[in-house]
């Protein structure tokens, strides 16, 4: 179980060591101490290992993650798990803006709140937020599932494509072309699966579903007021 | 009976310079449809350009090099600031970013083949990297765009360099739209979107805003790629001094500056023709920023937007660029707007040489389309050969001019080798009006 103290080890060295791991490595559980809000910790991982980070992290922690599990025992800065491909990223505390941005797969679990633009341009990632999300979350969200146990800020799902947005609390406002939908059995099943994988005990029937009205899928002058 | 009085001489019908025939046709089109015109290509109107500059050549006070004999180097190394593996090119002419989606897979393959033949790079675009492109490009630059369509860390690691696109010359400040008719199953899958719908390419990056964030973003990409690959930052020419300075401050290895003549796959006509500045006006401020920071030739500068021949290349280099990029010219070399297809262009309501509806996916040349029947018309091997020939000519022409100015390397060209034909060009390029020692503003 490698322990890396970022007060002594350069970040570049940590990331390089993590990148050098082969899929069959026996160094499968890493501890990172004293992150001190550093940016780009555990980015670009591509092996089925677990990295536990004991504290707050800065921008882009676990960016472009594949296969790995990254657990942040603190808060996270901007762009947490951006463009994540697979694996699991967990943050015990809050996350700043653009958490899970453009993520294409995997599971992102934020224990606290997430700031604005959570799930922006998400492309297949599943995101579970224990608290609330800020404005413009799921902006241009293409695919995947965003689950919010708390409330959502202004303009949720603006210009959304095919992502599913489940919110248990209130939604301040919906963005352009986003509407409330009646969940199907498939939707409920997807929500239950995401909650289960996130380890969150919540009743799927308490959530409302939001998705695309698909009125802006083809540019048309009649929709000009929406742009 | 008297003969009829002779008709008095009349004047010819006179078209307005303000309301010229094209303007009138656009007003009529807008009135009929209620929507703005979208097209490909770059700015088409007359702009101050490299044609407004001339090289002085050698004379009694300057000593030329022998053509066909004495060496005139053309190699360029990009990314020497931070990257462990800089990009080494044999010619200072590169291929600009153009997406699979906007272009057919055959066209992307042909670009790779042509560029690789002459030892230069090609560049991905919105939509990600295709195996055809990677397989046929010996040096491939991978773009990180606001949409992040097809963004994949595996492809990031496969790339030879990475280009963070902030903007492009045809539409600084604008995003893009790939219309539904070009969204084939393959394009849709690469972009994680349904087939057949219009796909909006964002104008802002989703996870950073401003130069302080960009610096952190660049660091993230360097960490993911273990500081191996050069990182370019591409901007549309609008405020070139400040954008260049901020790109350098953010940690770029290379700044890519695209003037308003630079091509686009699909943008509003009004945007193409009225936003941004010509590349002629942008190079000197960008070079000045690099010089003020002590980074000229340390952070390399690639310029693009209307490069057509070796004279344009040589003039860009003389003004301080390290390399140029071509897009529209490369497509023409592949076969775009070929006169042999005149009948088909006429069927589309245009003529060879003016075809710019690249967004519609009906390109008879098989280049700007995803229609499998049309795309199959383009032979990537033959088209790649045409591009290689063209790139070779650009390089030879650049060398010809450099030798005439007495330079043993094309990077030795300098502003002192140039004069301007117009006051405007003299002011923009910072070189004297021909026959004078007057540089406007100095």
């Amino acid at each position: 179980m490698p322990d890396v103290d970022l007060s002594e080890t350069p970040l570049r060295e940590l990331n390089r060591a993590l990148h050098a791991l082969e899929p069959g490595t026996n160094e499968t559980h890493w501890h990172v101490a004293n992150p001190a809000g550093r940016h780009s910790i555990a980015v670009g991982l591509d092996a089925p290992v677990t990295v536990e980070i004991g504290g707050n992290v800065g921008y882009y922690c676990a960016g472009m993650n594949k296969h790995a599990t990254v657990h942040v025992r603190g808060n996270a800065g901007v762009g947490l798990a951006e463009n994540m491909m697979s694996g699991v990223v967990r943050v015990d505390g809050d996350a700043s803006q653009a958490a899970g941005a453009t993520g294409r797969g995997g599971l992102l679990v934020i224990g606290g709140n997430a700031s604005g633009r959570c799930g922006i341009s998400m492309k297949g990632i599943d995101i579970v937020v224990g608290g609330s999300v800020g404005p413009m979350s799921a902006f241009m969200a293409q695919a995947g599932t965003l689950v919010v146990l708390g409330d959502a800020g202004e303009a949720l799902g603006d210009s959304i494509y095919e992502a599913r947005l489940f919110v248990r609390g209130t939604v301040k406002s919906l963005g352009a072309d986003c509407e409330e939908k009646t969940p199907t059995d498939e939707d409920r099943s997807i929500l239950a699966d995401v909650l289960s994988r996130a380890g969150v005990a919540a009743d799927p029937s308490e959530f409302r579903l939001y998705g695309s009205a698909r009125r802006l899928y083809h540019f048309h002058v009649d929709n000009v007021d929406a742009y | 009976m008297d003969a009829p009085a002779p008709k008095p001489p009349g004047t010819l019908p006179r078209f307005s310079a303000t309301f010229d025939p094209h303007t009138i046709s656009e007003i009529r089109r807008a009135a009929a449809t209620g929507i703005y015109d979208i097209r490909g290509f770059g700015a088409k109107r007359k702009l101050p350009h490299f044609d407004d500059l001339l090289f002085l050549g050698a004379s009694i006070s300057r000593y030329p090099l022998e053509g066909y004999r004495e060496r005139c180097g053309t190699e360029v190394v990009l990314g020497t600031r931070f990257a462990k593996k800089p990009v080494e090119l044999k010619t200072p002419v590169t291929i600009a970013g153009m997406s699979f989606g906007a272009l057919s897979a055959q066209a992307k393959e042909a670009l790779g083949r042509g560029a690789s033949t002459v030892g230069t790079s090609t560049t991905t675009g919105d939509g990600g990297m295709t195996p055809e492109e990677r397989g046929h490009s010996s040096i491939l630059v991978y773009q990180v765009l606001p949409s992040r369509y097809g963004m994949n860390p595996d492809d990031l690691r496969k790339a030879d360099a990475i280009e963070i696109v902030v903007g492009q010359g045809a539409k600084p400040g604008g995003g893009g739209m790939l219309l539904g008719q070009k969204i084939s199953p393959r394009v849709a899958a690469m972009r994680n979107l349904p087939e057949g719908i219009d796909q909006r390419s964002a104008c802002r990056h989703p996870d950073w805003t401003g130069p302080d964030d960009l610096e952190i973003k660049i660091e993230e990409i360097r960490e993911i790629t273990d500081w191996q690959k050069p990182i370019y930052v591409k901007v549309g020419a609008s405020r070139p001094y400040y954008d260049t300075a901020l790109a350098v401050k953010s940690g770029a290895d290379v700044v890519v500056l695209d003037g308003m003549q630079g091509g686009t796959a699909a943008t509003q006509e009004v945007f193409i023709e009225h936003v941004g500045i010509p590349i002629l006006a942008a190079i000197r401020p960008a070079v000045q920023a690099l010089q003020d920071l002590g980074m000229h030739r340390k952070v390399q500068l690639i310029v693009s937007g209307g490069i057509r021949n070796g004279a344009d290349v040589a003039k860009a280099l003389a003004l301080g660029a390290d390399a140029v990029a071509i897009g529209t010219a490369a497509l023409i070399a592949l076969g775009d707007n070929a006169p042999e297809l005149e009948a088909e262009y006429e069927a589309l309501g245009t003529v060879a040489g003016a075809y710019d509806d690249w967004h519609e996916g009906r390109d008879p040349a098989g280049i700007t389309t995803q229609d499998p029947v049309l795309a199959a018309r383009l032979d990537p091997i033959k088209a790649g050969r045409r591009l290689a020939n063209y790139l070779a000519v650009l390089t030879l022409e650049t060398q010809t001019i450099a030798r005439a100015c007495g330079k043993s390397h094309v990077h030795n060209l300098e502003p002192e080798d140039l004069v301007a034909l117009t006051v405007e060009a003299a002011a923009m390029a910072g070189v004297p009006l021909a026959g004078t020692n007057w540089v406007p503003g100095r």
Side-chain angles (χ1 to χ4, degrees), chain A residues 12 15 19 39-40 43-44 59-60 63 66 82-83 85 98 102 104 123 140 142 161 217-219 221, chain B residues 34-36 147-151 154 157 191-193 196 198 200 206-208 213 217 220 223 226-227:
Chain A
R12 205 176 299 186
N15 281 328
H19 296 164
H39 308 309
S40 306
V43 294
Y59 284 41
Y60 306 129
K66 278 182 77 181
E82 65 86 18
N83 212 84
M85 303 295 288
T102 76
R104 296 179 66 183
K123 304 178 196 301
M140 293 180 83
Q142 298 174 214
Y161 291 96
Y217 273 15
H218 292 94
F219 185 80
V221 69
Chain B
I35 196 166
Y36 44 51
S147 74
R148 309 282 168 88
Y149 287 142
M151 186 72 218
D154 296 335
R157 286 184 275 261
R191 298 177 181 223
N192 305 96
L193 280 169
D198 296 345
R200 175 74 190 160
D207 56 353
W208 65 268
D213 281 6
K217 185 69 193 176
E220 183 211 9
E223 285 291 331
D226 294 323
W227 293 73

